[in-house]
Amino acid sequence: MPTWSRRRFLHTAGLAGLGLTAACSGGGGDTGAPTGGGGTTSLRVALGWISNVEFAGFWIADDRGYYAEEGLEVEFLPGGPNAPRTAQTLAAGGAEIAIPVAMQEFISAVNDGNDFVAYGTMFQNSPAAWLSLAARPVRTARDAVGARVLGQQGVQPYVEAAMRLAGVAADYEFIPVGYEPSPLVEGQGDVYTCFATNQPIMLEQQGMVADRDFFVTTYEQLGLPQYASMLCSQRSWLDANRPVVERFMRATIRGWQDNAADPSVAARLAVENYGADLGLDLAQQTRENELQIPYTQSELTQANGLFRVDPERISGPMYTAYAAAGVSPLPDVSRIIDTSVLDAVFQGRSTI
């Protein structure tokens, strides 16, 4: 059974375990009412990964007609190892909305001169993490001192940032590995950089039990918080089509709200429909969805609704973490984040 790697995420974010044909007719702004052929507005959404259950709420929103109810016809452009990065697609005019898996991809695109703005995020806490076994638990940065770190190329700045923020020496051996955790199980290293909603499932399939046989420690727990899978657009397009984005986000959030009620629904949609050509396994996809749902929620979203972004959290602890990892420059948060879209969607409520 295939379990899909996180190549693009890990390469782009430096964290493991962390675009157009005109869609709106005439290229002008949207008035809030459905526009375009057949009374609908077409949108292209560039996904940061393959069409698996990671995008569960989008599949439910599409399947249950929530986008159609908002007068939208949405085309999802899958990502993956052989696809362009979403930021590249957005910058080249190949999509109206992009969902880069890593927050750093969004920041890097802004630093490259793109006038991008983000207005929502799928994951309130990135599932980027460290994976270790009970024989040698690595649950803190201090535990990693002197450890053999199995990871993908590019993760070292974040390993060292976690140690730096913890006030311990960046003393470790880095061993480059691929995207499945067998080297950890085989004893080639002490800790493996992973995606908490993916590689741990492989250990579960071998009969291992979380918090007994293996441990997952997110980068947020290590002092490096970040969002993941942020939704962004060109600022000029957002300014001209704000009602379209509000309608898209309203339908999308309804899908993600539904997803929390039964993780098996979107898993089946991914296996049988949206990712039908990928050879996905239903049990694995269901488990991945179960694991990812908690990462979509936080105190902020419980009070104000899903997908919320907190600018102060970015400028505070997230930028502190990025600075420790050597990410520079860090753009003015007020220039790259727009919270008003979801304010208009929720209208003071926490659900839709």
Side-chain angles (χ1 to χ4, degrees):
M1 125 188 19
T3 44
W4 293 92
S5 71
R6 312 293 310 179
R7 300 187 177 88
R8 281 194 62 236
F9 171 80
L10 302 174
H11 173 75
T12 302
L15 279 173
L18 177 250
L20 308 194
T21 56
C24 295
S25 60
D30 185 84
T31 62
T35 60
T40 62
T41 298
S42 297
L43 285 177
R44 293 162 302 165
V45 180
L47 305 177
W49 192 238
I50 60 174
S51 299
N52 67 357
V53 79
E54 180 173 325
F55 304 101
F58 298 97
W59 307 150
I60 292 176
D62 188 48
D63 182 70
R64 295 185 174 175
Y66 297 161
Y67 293 123
E69 290 176 14
E70 295 287 351
L72 301 175
E73 182 177 335
V74 182
E75 178 185 5
F76 292 100
L77 310 175
N82 300 315
R85 295 183 183 179
T86 58
Q88 294 174 329
T89 300
L90 186 64
E96 288 70 55
I97 297 173
I99 310 177
V101 174
M103 183 175 167
Q104 189 185 334
E105 181 182 347
F106 168 67
I107 292 175
S108 296
V110 171
N111 286 339
D112 286 342
N114 295 291
D115 193 13
F116 291 171
V117 59
Y119 37 82
T121 186
M122 281 170 48
F123 295 121
Q124 296 292 311
N125 172 12
S126 171
W130 289 359
L131 180 64
S132 62
L133 302 180
R136 170 70 158 88
V138 180
R139 307 185 71 176
T140 68
R142 186 173 298 276
D143 293 338
V145 175
R148 296 168 298 165
V149 177
L150 302 161
Q152 300 71 30
Q153 292 291 353
V155 304
Q156 297 98 311
Y158 295 91
V159 173
E160 294 172 13
M163 302 175 93
R164 188 175 300 117
L165 290 171
V168 299
D171 175 17
Y172 68 99
E173 178 186 359
F174 182 75
I175 303 173
V177 295
Y179 303 91
E180 53 86 26
S182 61
L184 178 67
V185 177
E186 294 167 0
Q188 298 177 28
D190 303 306
V191 58
Y192 172 83
T193 55
C194 77
F195 207 68
T197 56
N198 190 331
Q199 286 87 358
I201 300 175
M202 303 179 198
L203 301 189
E204 292 179 347
Q205 291 169 341
Q206 298 176 33
M208 302 175 72
V209 177
D211 297 324
R212 186 193 72 186
D213 303 313
F214 67 87
F215 302 97
V216 177
T217 305
T218 67
Y219 275 92
E220 175 145 352
Q221 292 171 317
L222 292 165
L224 282 80
Q226 66 170 314
Y227 292 126
S229 296
M230 301 182 78
L231 282 75
C232 60
S233 295
Q234 297 270 13
R235 181 181 304 277
S236 59
W237 183 85
L238 174 63
D239 289 344
N241 298 280
R242 184 171 294 268
V244 172
V245 179
E246 292 172 6
R247 285 153 47 197
F248 173 78
M249 292 304 302
R250 183 162 49 242
T252 296
I253 289 165
R254 290 176 65 192
W256 279 95
Q257 289 176 169
D258 290 358
N259 183 58
D262 186 353
S264 68
V265 173
R268 189 169 297 280
L269 287 172
V271 170
E272 297 180 355
N273 187 353
Y274 298 92
D277 60 341
L278 298 175
L280 302 171
D281 177 80
L282 181 59
Q284 189 278 339
Q285 290 287 281
T286 302
R287 181 58 175 151
E288 181 172 335
N289 201 14
E290 291 172 349
L291 290 174
Q292 76 179 359
I293 287 173
Y295 289 93
T296 68
Q297 302 169 2
S298 66
E299 291 183 4
L300 176 66
T301 60
Q302 290 170 3
N304 299 287
L306 295 175
F307 280 79
R308 288 288 193 170
V309 176
D310 181 356
E312 292 185 1
R313 189 163 178 245
I314 295 176
S315 62
M318 292 187 183
Y319 270 12
T320 297
Y322 277 128
V327 178
S328 179
L330 296 170
D332 182 353
V333 175
S334 65
R335 182 169 64 88
I336 63 172
I337 300 297
D338 186 330
T339 61
S340 67
V341 171
L342 293 187
D343 287 341
V345 169
F346 284 105
Q347 298 182 356
R349 303 183 299 269
S350 61
T351 59
I352 296 175

